[in-house]
Amino acid sequence: MRRFDFRSPPLQNNRWPVVPQFETISPELESFLDLSLERQRHELSRLRTTREEHAEFVNRALGLIYAYRFGYADSPCFLGTNDDREIRLEQAKILVERDLLAFLGPPEAPRVGSQQELVALLRTLLAENPGVDHPLFRYLEVEASRDNFHEFLLNDVIRNEIVDDEVAWLVAGHQGLMKEAAAINLYDECGRGQQRHFHTYWLRILLESLGNWDDLMQYRVGPRPWFAAITSNVFAMLLTRSAYKWAAYGHFIVTESWVPPHFERILKGMERVGLNDGENDIYFTAHVTLDPTHTEELILGLEHQVPALTPRECSQILWGGRLAIAGAVAQYDRMMDHLRIRELHLVG
């Protein structure tokens, strides 16, 4: 029998993810949920005429819907079923996810003939895409003020706080080497069975160094920009729709591949502005080493998968990778603008 150490490390006392208990749905979304299917389609069509307003509504709506799907405390059905509300949430999910794709202008599904072709195309995509060396991370490395860097780190904690649950959803439904590669990744995410080595525990350490935990809860329901959730929402959409199971695997390969170049710049920026304190940078330092291995394992899982992947499965995996790039660039561009404008206001 495996021997567990049942003593929890100190920061485990705080509930995770750091979200407020659900109280009410926003009037705007509640009104949308109350509409008929046809009226909902009409309302989304109206919103599309104002691109940023439409994108904000879509991403904020999906944030609530995915809290419901993942079962967190900010879910509108936390610890209690509500058939009518859940039916309406599921209907809205399908419609709004279509609009998320429309907002991103997703790439067309490519035609891929074999696993070998897929792997070659993926390796090329990972080496050359606009997310690898996005200006946001250069800005963080050499320009961002301490206050702006703090703002970025709060958003980064929120983005990564449920990565272990996301990978758990990724494991489900796959078989063979692809499942093995995803399961190994999940095992690492969960600290290889030790709470203090959970990657989300390393985020607890970072958050503790940034200030009061209640500040993060207030930030996420207040000034946090809507576009900081784009990449999370895209991945959650792929994970929670059975038709996109293969696309989720491709999405994850791309986002894992970015970790070393992005985190290396983040680490240099943290040191420059004096935000690295003790081991609070362990989340970033550890991933610079871990994620190249994870990326390679995920690709090898594809390359040697048995039974062989069909051309349709291969095509969707590559499409998922390209969609990850579209979502990330949309988020990074807006975050870059947000931080620069914020800098001007702080100086002024």
Side-chain angles (χ1 to χ4, degrees):
M1 177 179 177
R2 188 185 188 285
R3 295 179 179 177
F4 287 95
D5 181 355
F6 290 103
R7 296 168 299 178
S8 293
L11 295 181
Q12 199 66 36
N13 290 332
N14 297 284
R15 291 188 178 274
W16 197 266
V18 188
V19 294
Q21 190 82 25
F22 174 77
E23 293 182 358
T24 185
I25 297 176
S26 71
E28 183 182 27
L29 183 54
E30 188 72 74
S31 174
F32 181 80
L33 292 174
D34 285 340
L35 296 175
S36 67
L37 177 61
E38 192 56 40
R39 292 289 302 277
Q40 285 179 339
R41 287 175 172 152
H42 182 271
E43 176 62 12
L44 288 171
S45 177
R46 183 190 69 80
L47 284 171
R48 287 186 210 114
T49 62
T50 52
R51 178 174 171 79
E52 294 300 298
E53 180 185 349
H54 169 249
E56 179 171 2
F57 174 81
V58 164
N59 280 279
R60 292 197 185 282
L62 288 174
L64 179 78
I65 290 167
Y66 295 140
Y68 156 67
R69 269 303 191 96
F70 279 78
Y72 299 133
D74 54 342
S75 162
C77 298
F78 185 62
L79 295 181
T81 59
N82 183 323
D83 291 356
D84 178 64
R85 172 171 281 175
E86 292 184 60
I87 289 168
R88 291 187 295 144
L89 284 168
E90 290 292 345
Q91 175 176 295
K93 177 181 185 296
I94 293 169
L95 286 183
V96 177
E97 284 175 343
R98 290 290 184 190
D99 270 43
L100 177 62
L101 289 174
F103 159 67
L104 293 176
E108 293 183 6
R111 298 178 66 86
V112 184
S114 67
Q115 286 171 224
Q116 291 70 31
E117 183 184 357
L118 170 63
V119 169
L121 290 169
L122 274 174
R123 291 195 185 280
T124 299
L125 185 68
L126 298 185
E128 301 175 10
N129 67 75
V132 176
D133 195 30
H134 193 279
L136 170 64
F137 299 95
R138 178 68 176 170
Y139 166 78
L140 292 168
E141 180 185 4
V142 302
E143 292 185 51
S145 67
R146 180 185 175 94
D147 187 81
N148 257 3
F149 215 111
H150 186 278
E151 169 97 350
F152 170 80
L153 288 175
L154 287 178
N155 281 284
D156 208 53
V157 169
I158 294 172
R159 162 62 199 103
N160 292 292
E161 67 190 348
I162 64 164
V163 66
D164 46 3
D165 287 348
E166 290 172 334
V167 179
W169 278 68
L170 182 67
V171 171
H174 289 293
Q175 297 298 324
L177 285 173
M178 292 173 66
K179 190 160 199 163
E180 181 178 339
I184 289 171
N185 194 301
L186 179 60
Y187 185 51
D188 281 348
E189 291 288 346
C190 294
R192 296 180 169 264
Q194 299 180 59
Q195 289 183 71
R196 67 176 58 254
H197 297 308
F198 271 49
H199 296 184
T200 52
Y201 193 81
W202 296 341
L203 286 174
R204 290 170 184 259
I205 295 171
L206 175 61
L207 182 56
E208 179 78 3
S209 75
L210 295 177
N212 191 314
W213 286 51
D214 288 340
D215 290 346
L216 179 63
M217 193 176 297
Q218 294 304 314
Y219 176 74
R220 76 189 311 151
V221 299
R224 188 193 185 213
W226 63 266
F227 45 80
I230 293 174
T231 55
S232 296
N233 287 340
V234 172
F235 195 29
M237 174 188 68
L238 300 180
L239 290 169
T240 58
R241 294 287 290 273
S242 60
Y244 296 149
K245 176 180 69 176
W246 304 96
Y249 195 94
H251 184 287
F252 191 56
I253 288 175
V254 169
T255 55
E256 286 287 278
S257 74
W258 285 337
V259 167
H262 290 178
F263 282 16
E264 285 170 357
R265 292 191 183 277
I266 290 171
L267 283 165
K268 290 176 182 177
M270 287 179 68
E271 182 175 4
R272 176 180 58 80
V273 301
L275 277 172
N276 55 335
D277 179 22
E279 61 173 354
N280 77 332
D281 61 0
I282 187 173
Y283 181 82
F284 300 110
T285 56
H287 279 80
V288 169
T289 302
L290 288 171
D291 279 37
T293 302
H294 286 163
T295 303
E296 187 61 21
E297 287 169 346
L298 290 164
I299 292 176
L300 289 174
L302 290 178
E303 188 171 11
H304 301 286
Q305 174 74 0
V306 177
L309 299 175
T310 67
R312 186 174 181 182
E313 290 164 346
C314 290
S315 297
Q316 195 179 100
I317 290 168
L318 186 59
W319 179 78
R322 291 179 176 175
L323 189 61
I325 296 166
V329 170
Q331 177 168 316
Y332 297 161
D333 285 350
R334 287 168 174 77
M335 181 59 70
M336 181 78 173
D337 291 342
H338 167 71
L339 293 176
R340 287 200 179 280
I341 292 170
R342 192 170 182 275
E343 195 88 58
L344 291 173
H345 288 167
L346 290 172
V347 172

